[in-house]
Amino acid sequence: MRVEHDRIVAKFALHLVGAMREHWGNSNRAKWLCCSVSLFGMLLGCAGQGPAPGQVKAEEVMPMKYSYPPAATSDDGDTFFGEFVPDPYRWLEDGDAEQTLRWADAQDALARGLLAKLPLRDSFIKRLSELLYVDRVFPPVRRGERRFFVRTHADREKQVYYWQGADGEEHVLLDPNTLREDGSIAVGVMVPSWDGNYVAYSLRENAADEATLYVMEVATGATLAEDVLEGAKYASPVWTPDSKSFYYTYLPTDSSIPVDERPGWADIRLHQLGTVQSDDKVIREKLGDPTRFVGVELSRDGRWLFYYVQHGWQSNDLEVLDLQSPEAGWTSFAKSDEAQFQIIAWEGKFYVLTNLGAPNWRVLVCDAGAASLDACQELIPERVDQAIDNAQLIGGHFVLSYLHQASSRVEVRKLDGSLLRELALPGLGTCMGMTGLPEDDEAYYTFESFTEAPQVYKTSIASGESELWAKVELPFSPEPYVVEQLWYPSKDGTQVSLFVVRRKDQAFDGKTPLMLYGYGGFNVSMRPSFRASLYAWLEAGGAYAVANLRGGGEYGEAWHQAGMREKKQNVFDDFIAAAEFLIEKGYTSAERLSIYGGSNGGLLVGAALVQRPELFGGVVCAVPLLDMVRYHLHGSGRTWIAEYGSVEQSEELFRAILAYSPYHHVPEKVVHPPVLFLSADHDDRVDPLHARKMAARLQSASDGSEPVLLRVERNAGHGGADMVKTTIEKLADTYAFLAFATFAEREPSTQPVPNAAQVQ
């Protein structure tokens, strides 16, 4: 759940932030990065060709009794509103302590030793390699006479950044494969200047969120010596029209600042090319509030500077500065604890995308420089059955992306709001906006679905003509499979939608291994998106489902708020109800049903595990939040208080959070399905302490009949390492484990109990 504010196209967000800004603007980077995290989870769709369900007996794979590296307990805890909350594994919060490191290493050795013995793992690696080492090109963005784009190559671990001149010749801009032999340095943002002569880009050690910003001269490929900017964790450079400077968010790296207070020290600065960072001008001082984010956007003509203060994922304040008369100071355009605002400035008008009084969003318009939102009139009204997901200005027209029952619809409208046309998409799937400029007729977009790999199309805004620009060829056939969108009632009767991908000839006898994925938070929408690894799972005889839980953005802001703070239990109820529905309808059975979630989705899976352990045959919980009583004290936790609330705010929130916090609801003795925790050693977003403490507590409470494993990814941040081979290894381990849990016959075993020493 990385803390940034851009409402951007999530797929292209990993490649060119210049394109991101055209899609989302700078006012909601947090939604982008949560979306990127949810897409990370969905990309872990499933893996591996292997035997049909029931062909391998569990005792041939893993023993049925387990022992674990010992974890001492203590009498630590906290008292809130007169109630003492025990925390017996508090010592595992210190990730730098020698005893914690030794314990985590022993856990990882145990997990990897057992996972390596799974007979399906090698076939998973083989099939995943065929599906994930691919040639692909992403939509380009134009800056000056150059186009910038990204390619993945079937023979390289990391994506490569390119530029193309007016003559059409392609040049390598930056190849991350050459930066460090072990691949432990990753590229963060990559933002070209408006004239195309420079790019500002960031590098991240061990794929963590912390970053350093650099500037490259495109023609020579030389990195400018003076333009090296530290504290770029939240930086998304906003170039001025003359391409001589850019605005950015700076976060100090001073270790004396407490980690939970550090986000409140972010400020806005202006950097001039050719100068050192200490000369940068501070445009807006720090807020001193670690629960809020700050960011800037600049109008295309360079006149209007917009300052955003984001209150979590549901509201923001917006101020405007006229750079032609800066002495007049900032004007408060909109301020709200309940709604969001984003401005697109063009040709003397402010076009405002907002959900104020409209949970499904609408577009307002007023003269540029208007003193407040009160001067605006409604241009494009809210729709009851569709939520605006993205608003852009390309080719002198609005491009509006809508979500209709969690799938994309795209419209092109004139600046007076009237409809020009609806973009003809190939079917039920996802199109998250376009790349293009307000002055250019040419635009590009990507379409994908559960059964169609992402294809890039080129279109004319004026004529509406589209053509396939770049096709992805993958070694799979979608023909045997069908995608269904189903609806089911949650615990309180709320109707929730669910996508299921399965074989057309599947028998509804409860024998199909099915993996259920969910997220349910931060206004992130689960869409019909393509995951190549999913086909390895389907080919092996499994099925896949993803639920559109409350807390997400599929059905507008009201749907999001129905899964926030005191209402977070609704999300878990929706997920559990999806499992019950799939079992009731014969899609699977409890023994054959596995659940997966990452980050906020890890919280989801952890809560489902402790609330209904009998409902699942296998569980994978990745980079999770699990101790919700203390989450806000670590990593980026304070920035999520607007979404979750904290136990410090009120007794009502304390009671609500404690009631579902997974770490605090592991019983002393528990019968549970096989559980695999996935962690990363350099995760500076969700602290790995959550996975450590939960694994220790669940292992202690377990009778040893089913495994509880903790796998630690090395040189990796919250999203994992950014190399294909490490992704394949993690997928192979993960889904070999789930195949063991839900494909194998569960019979008693006489094999000896393993311990940490035996597998190191």
mmCIF file of all heavy atoms in Angstrom, residues 569-584:
data_model
loop_
_atom_site.group_PDB
_atom_site.id
_atom_site.type_symbol
_atom_site.label_atom_id
_atom_site.label_comp_id
_atom_site.label_asym_id
_atom_site.label_seq_id
_atom_site.Cartn_x
_atom_site.Cartn_y
_atom_site.Cartn_z
ATOM 1 N N GLN A 569 -15.369 -5.132 9.132
ATOM 2 C CA GLN A 569 -15.839 -6.516 9.192
ATOM 3 C C GLN A 569 -16.711 -6.863 7.987
ATOM 4 O O GLN A 569 -16.794 -8.033 7.591
ATOM 5 C CB GLN A 569 -16.602 -6.767 10.488
ATOM 6 C CG GLN A 569 -17.092 -8.196 10.676
ATOM 7 C CD GLN A 569 -15.978 -9.233 10.693
ATOM 8 O OE1 GLN A 569 -14.921 -9.006 11.288
ATOM 9 N NE2 GLN A 569 -16.187 -10.363 10.037
ATOM 10 N N ASN A 570 -17.367 -5.861 7.377
ATOM 11 C CA ASN A 570 -18.153 -6.132 6.170
ATOM 12 C C ASN A 570 -17.309 -6.794 5.082
ATOM 13 O O ASN A 570 -17.796 -7.652 4.334
ATOM 14 C CB ASN A 570 -18.751 -4.833 5.610
ATOM 15 C CG ASN A 570 -19.914 -4.319 6.425
ATOM 16 O OD1 ASN A 570 -20.557 -5.072 7.146
ATOM 17 N ND2 ASN A 570 -20.197 -3.029 6.305
ATOM 18 N N VAL A 571 -16.052 -6.370 4.966
ATOM 19 C CA VAL A 571 -15.162 -6.910 3.936
ATOM 20 C C VAL A 571 -14.937 -8.400 4.174
ATOM 21 O O VAL A 571 -15.017 -9.222 3.253
ATOM 22 C CB VAL A 571 -13.819 -6.165 3.927
ATOM 23 C CG1 VAL A 571 -12.933 -6.675 2.803
ATOM 24 C CG2 VAL A 571 -14.032 -4.664 3.802
ATOM 25 N N PHE A 572 -14.660 -8.765 5.415
ATOM 26 C CA PHE A 572 -14.419 -10.169 5.740
ATOM 27 C C PHE A 572 -15.692 -10.991 5.564
ATOM 28 O O PHE A 572 -15.639 -12.135 5.087
ATOM 29 C CB PHE A 572 -13.892 -10.287 7.169
ATOM 30 C CG PHE A 572 -12.794 -9.307 7.492
ATOM 31 C CD1 PHE A 572 -12.771 -8.622 8.694
ATOM 32 C CD2 PHE A 572 -11.779 -9.038 6.567
ATOM 33 C CE1 PHE A 572 -11.776 -7.710 8.987
ATOM 34 C CE2 PHE A 572 -10.775 -8.126 6.854
ATOM 35 C CZ PHE A 572 -10.780 -7.456 8.062
ATOM 36 N N ASP A 573 -16.831 -10.410 5.933
ATOM 37 C CA ASP A 573 -18.103 -11.106 5.733
ATOM 38 C C ASP A 573 -18.363 -11.359 4.249
ATOM 39 O O ASP A 573 -18.844 -12.436 3.862
ATOM 40 C CB ASP A 573 -19.253 -10.288 6.316
ATOM 41 C CG ASP A 573 -19.234 -10.236 7.838
ATOM 42 O OD1 ASP A 573 -18.564 -11.089 8.458
ATOM 43 O OD2 ASP A 573 -19.893 -9.340 8.407
ATOM 44 N N ASP A 574 -18.047 -10.366 3.414
ATOM 45 C CA ASP A 574 -18.229 -10.546 1.963
ATOM 46 C C ASP A 574 -17.367 -11.687 1.435
ATOM 47 O O ASP A 574 -17.802 -12.486 0.590
ATOM 48 C CB ASP A 574 -17.861 -9.255 1.222
ATOM 49 C CG ASP A 574 -18.827 -8.115 1.472
ATOM 50 O OD1 ASP A 574 -19.854 -8.328 2.137
ATOM 51 O OD2 ASP A 574 -18.541 -6.993 1.005
ATOM 52 N N PHE A 575 -16.128 -11.759 1.909
ATOM 53 C CA PHE A 575 -15.188 -12.781 1.439
ATOM 54 C C PHE A 575 -15.622 -14.173 1.895
ATOM 55 O O PHE A 575 -15.626 -15.133 1.112
ATOM 56 C CB PHE A 575 -13.798 -12.450 1.971
ATOM 57 C CG PHE A 575 -12.672 -13.175 1.285
ATOM 58 C CD1 PHE A 575 -12.457 -13.039 -0.072
ATOM 59 C CD2 PHE A 575 -11.802 -13.978 2.016
ATOM 60 C CE1 PHE A 575 -11.400 -13.684 -0.702
ATOM 61 C CE2 PHE A 575 -10.739 -14.622 1.404
ATOM 62 C CZ PHE A 575 -10.545 -14.483 0.038
ATOM 63 N N ILE A 576 -15.992 -14.281 3.142
ATOM 64 C CA ILE A 576 -16.456 -15.558 3.675
ATOM 65 C C ILE A 576 -17.727 -16.002 2.961
ATOM 66 O O ILE A 576 -17.895 -17.186 2.631
ATOM 67 C CB ILE A 576 -16.673 -15.445 5.192
ATOM 68 C CG1 ILE A 576 -15.308 -15.316 5.894
ATOM 69 C CG2 ILE A 576 -17.455 -16.631 5.740
ATOM 70 C CD1 ILE A 576 -15.404 -14.904 7.347
ATOM 71 N N ALA A 577 -18.626 -15.062 2.692
ATOM 72 C CA ALA A 577 -19.860 -15.398 1.973
ATOM 73 C C ALA A 577 -19.565 -15.878 0.558
ATOM 74 O O ALA A 577 -20.259 -16.753 0.032
ATOM 75 C CB ALA A 577 -20.794 -14.188 1.942
ATOM 76 N N ALA A 578 -18.523 -15.315 -0.085
ATOM 77 C CA ALA A 578 -18.132 -15.782 -1.419
ATOM 78 C C ALA A 578 -17.693 -17.241 -1.353
ATOM 79 O O ALA A 578 -18.057 -18.058 -2.218
ATOM 80 C CB ALA A 578 -17.002 -14.918 -1.971
ATOM 81 N N ALA A 579 -16.909 -17.583 -0.327
ATOM 82 C CA ALA A 579 -16.469 -18.970 -0.158
ATOM 83 C C ALA A 579 -17.663 -19.893 0.051
ATOM 84 O O ALA A 579 -17.757 -20.971 -0.563
ATOM 85 C CB ALA A 579 -15.505 -19.064 1.015
ATOM 86 N N GLU A 580 -18.580 -19.488 0.911
ATOM 87 C CA GLU A 580 -19.769 -20.314 1.171
ATOM 88 C C GLU A 580 -20.609 -20.487 -0.089
ATOM 89 O O GLU A 580 -21.134 -21.588 -0.361
ATOM 90 C CB GLU A 580 -20.600 -19.667 2.277
ATOM 91 C CG GLU A 580 -19.916 -19.678 3.629
ATOM 92 C CD GLU A 580 -20.673 -18.900 4.686
ATOM 93 O OE1 GLU A 580 -21.344 -17.902 4.327
ATOM 94 O OE2 GLU A 580 -20.589 -19.285 5.865
ATOM 95 N N PHE A 581 -20.731 -19.433 -0.876
ATOM 96 C CA PHE A 581 -21.501 -19.487 -2.114
ATOM 97 C C PHE A 581 -20.876 -20.466 -3.112
ATOM 98 O O PHE A 581 -21.568 -21.286 -3.717
ATOM 99 C CB PHE A 581 -21.584 -18.081 -2.714
ATOM 100 C CG PHE A 581 -22.234 -18.006 -4.063
ATOM 101 C CD1 PHE A 581 -23.613 -18.005 -4.196
ATOM 102 C CD2 PHE A 581 -21.454 -17.934 -5.220
ATOM 103 C CE1 PHE A 581 -24.212 -17.933 -5.449
ATOM 104 C CE2 PHE A 581 -22.038 -17.861 -6.467
ATOM 105 C CZ PHE A 581 -23.423 -17.865 -6.590
ATOM 106 N N LEU A 582 -19.569 -20.394 -3.286
ATOM 107 C CA LEU A 582 -18.877 -21.277 -4.228
ATOM 108 C C LEU A 582 -18.991 -22.738 -3.806
ATOM 109 O O LEU A 582 -19.112 -23.643 -4.654
ATOM 110 C CB LEU A 582 -17.413 -20.868 -4.344
ATOM 111 C CG LEU A 582 -17.155 -19.525 -5.033
ATOM 112 C CD1 LEU A 582 -15.726 -19.048 -4.764
ATOM 113 C CD2 LEU A 582 -17.419 -19.625 -6.531
ATOM 114 N N ILE A 583 -18.961 -22.975 -2.512
ATOM 115 C CA ILE A 583 -19.130 -24.340 -2.009
ATOM 116 C C ILE A 583 -20.572 -24.814 -2.195
ATOM 117 O O ILE A 583 -20.826 -25.935 -2.664
ATOM 118 C CB ILE A 583 -18.716 -24.405 -0.529
ATOM 119 C CG1 ILE A 583 -17.209 -24.173 -0.392
ATOM 120 C CG2 ILE A 583 -19.106 -25.745 0.094
ATOM 121 C CD1 ILE A 583 -16.744 -23.951 1.036
ATOM 122 N N GLU A 584 -21.524 -23.958 -1.844
ATOM 123 C CA GLU A 584 -22.940 -24.309 -1.969
ATOM 124 C C GLU A 584 -23.323 -24.644 -3.404
ATOM 125 O O GLU A 584 -24.096 -25.576 -3.657
ATOM 126 C CB GLU A 584 -23.799 -23.153 -1.457
ATOM 127 C CG GLU A 584 -25.297 -23.369 -1.621
ATOM 128 C CD GLU A 584 -26.105 -22.112 -1.340
ATOM 129 O OE1 GLU A 584 -25.512 -21.121 -0.872
ATOM 130 O OE2 GLU A 584 -27.326 -22.136 -1.605
#
